[in-house]
Structure formats: structure tokens, C-alpha cells
């Protein structure tokens, strides 16, 4: 029975000094490649794709995210207006391979409006990025004015508590007609309240008063009765 012989040129003699030298060069080249790769990858974190402002509709959730490059793996901290946010039910830290870092804000309210910052650090350094969450909420009246009965000549003050983002337009009506402001009858609009003032109340001032608020997401209104004796 004949024994198969390897074709010429396909055998290596590991005892051959030239073969040993070639193996040493290959190993050294690989170690150099690996070292260069590690030196290239190790270093302070970098943000490859920055955070962007997002709109959060009241009652829903929003997500801030960026792409990062960091080796070794970084330590992540999120903050809102300078205060650190803890990973939990309200705020959820998200890490998605290979390079996405995100924060999910749940159950949005107007208080979530603000500047959010992510800090990314490893043993070689740190970097930060920031963006705003812009909260939108329908216009609303959280507390309407109270009915009032006054004597002639008294001052009537009708106050309503309001909300909404963008800040709503506000108006007052009496018996369905727009109130014409003057030095005696006028109203003020603040960030969270609106106040209608009627000085030196007269019998003609009696009626059904309405306050309404409106923005691009909705409208709301409330009513109060004023009687002048």
C-alpha cells in the first residue's frame, strides 16, 4: 500500500532556522497591530452624535439620546438643570449596543421642561453634552373664579388659576361679550393666574363672567356669577 506524499513546497520543517525566524516576525507583527489598535481605542470618551432638543407632550414620554465612542466602557450620569437624575420609575437610563446612550423621561409634566446634561467619563477623561426638553400642554384653567355678591361701590376681584405650554392666550367676557378694559374694569395675566378687577361696582356690572384660555393644543373656560346689590 503506497503512502501519500505531500506535494513539494507544502511542507514546513519547524526546525528550519528560516521558518522559526518567519514565525517570530509574524508574532511580533500581530502584537504590534494589537498594541496599535488598543492605543487607538483607549482614550477619553467622544460624542459622535450630539443630543438634540425634543418636545414632550404632557402625559407622554420623551427620549434624549446620543452616540458615543468610549473604551473602556464609560460611567454615565444624567442631570436636569444641574441636579443629578436617578435611574428609576421616572427617569430610565438606556444603553444600546454598540454606542447609543439615552435617557427616557416618563409621565411628562410641565416640571420636566429644562436643560438636560449627560456626563460620560472613563479613566482617560470625560465629555458632556446637553439639550432641552420642551414640554407642551393644552391650555387649561386649574381653578376657576368664585361667584361673588357685593354692594354697589365695592371692588370685585375674580381670579382664575391657569396653565398650558405654550403659554395660553387669555380673555374675559361678561354675558358672552368681550370686556372692554378701562381704568375701572381691567384684567391682568400672569404666568399661572389671571385676575379681573372691577372697581366701584355698579348694577350694570352684574352678570355671568367667563374666563377662557387657548393655545395650539386646546382651550378651556370657566364661569362665575357677579351680583351687585
Amino acid at each position: 500500500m503506497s503512502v501519500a506524499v505531500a506535494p513539494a513546497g507544502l511542507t514546513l520543517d519547524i526546525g528550519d532556522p528560516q521558518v522559526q525566524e518567519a514565525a517570530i516576525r509574524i508574532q511580533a507583527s500581530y502584537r504590534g497591530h494589537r498594541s496599535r489598535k488598543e492605543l487607538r481605542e483607549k482614550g477619553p470618551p467622544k460624542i459622535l452624535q450630539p443630543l438634540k432638543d425634543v418636545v414632550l407632550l404632557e402625559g407622554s414620554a420623551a427620549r434624549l439620546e446620543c452616540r458615543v465612542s468610549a473604551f473602556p466602557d464609560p460611567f454615565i450620569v444624567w442631570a436636569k438643570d444641574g441636579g443629578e437624575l436617578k435611574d428609576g420609575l421616572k427617569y430610565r437610563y438606556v444603553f444600546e449596543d454598540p454606542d447609543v446612550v439615552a435617557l427616557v423621561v416618563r409621565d411628562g409634566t410641565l416640571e420636566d421642561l429644562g436643560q438636560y446634561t449627560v456626563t460620560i467619563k472613563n479613566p482617560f477623561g470625560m465629555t458632556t453634552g446637553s439639550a432641552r426638553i420642551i414640554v407642551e400642554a393644552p391650555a387649561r384653567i386649574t381653578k376657576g373664579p368664585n361667584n361673588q355678591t357685593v354692594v354697589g361701590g365695592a371692588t370685585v376681584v375674580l381670579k382664575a388659576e391657569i396653565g398650558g405650554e405654550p403659554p395660553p392666550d387669555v380673555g374675559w367676557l361678561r354675558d358672552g361679550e368681550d370686556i372692554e378694559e378701562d381704568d375701572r374694569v381691567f384684567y391682568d395675566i400672569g404666568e399661572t393666574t389671571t385676575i379681573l378687577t372691577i372697581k366701584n361696582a355698579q348694577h350694570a356690572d352684574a352678570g355671568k363672567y367667563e374666563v377662557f384660555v387657548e393655545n395650539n393644543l386646546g382651550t378651556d373656560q370657566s364661569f362665575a356669577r357677579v351680583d351687585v346689590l
Side-chain angles (χ1 to χ4, degrees), residues 190-223:
E191 291 186 3
T192 59
T193 61
T194 178
I195 298 174
L196 173 68
T197 301
I198 306 171
K199 294 182 177 180
N200 188 24
Q202 305 168 9
H203 290 291
D205 294 320
K208 183 180 181 181
Y209 285 79
E210 174 188 354
V211 56
F212 73 87
V213 292
E214 179 180 15
N215 66 11
N216 62 310
L217 297 173
T219 63
D220 199 6
Q221 62 277 327
S222 184
F223 301 89

Side-chain angles (χ1 to χ4, degrees), residues 155-170:
T155 296
V156 177
V157 176
L158 297 177
K159 178 180 178 181
E161 297 179 4
I162 61 176
E165 188 63 38
D169 295 324
V170 180

Side-chain angles (χ1 to χ4, degrees), residues 24-41:
I24 291 171
R25 286 200 304 268
I26 292 171
Q27 292 174 0
S29 176
Y30 173 73
R31 285 196 299 271
H33 167 74
R34 185 176 61 185
S35 297
R36 289 192 299 272
K37 185 172 185 293
E38 290 179 353
L39 286 173
R40 184 175 65 249
E41 291 182 348

Side-chain angles (χ1 to χ4, degrees), residues 164-181:
E165 188 63 38
D169 295 324
V170 180
W172 286 86
L173 297 86
R174 182 173 66 83
D175 294 334
E177 299 292 334
D178 289 338
I179 291 176
E180 297 292 337
E181 294 184 273

Side-chain angles (χ1 to χ4, degrees), residues 2-3 17 30 40 51 55 84 113 119 163 173 186 193-194 215:
S2 61
V3 178
Y30 173 73
R40 184 175 65 249
L51 296 172
V55 174
E84 183 177 339
L113 184 150
T119 300
L173 297 86
F186 55 89
T193 61
T194 178
N215 66 11

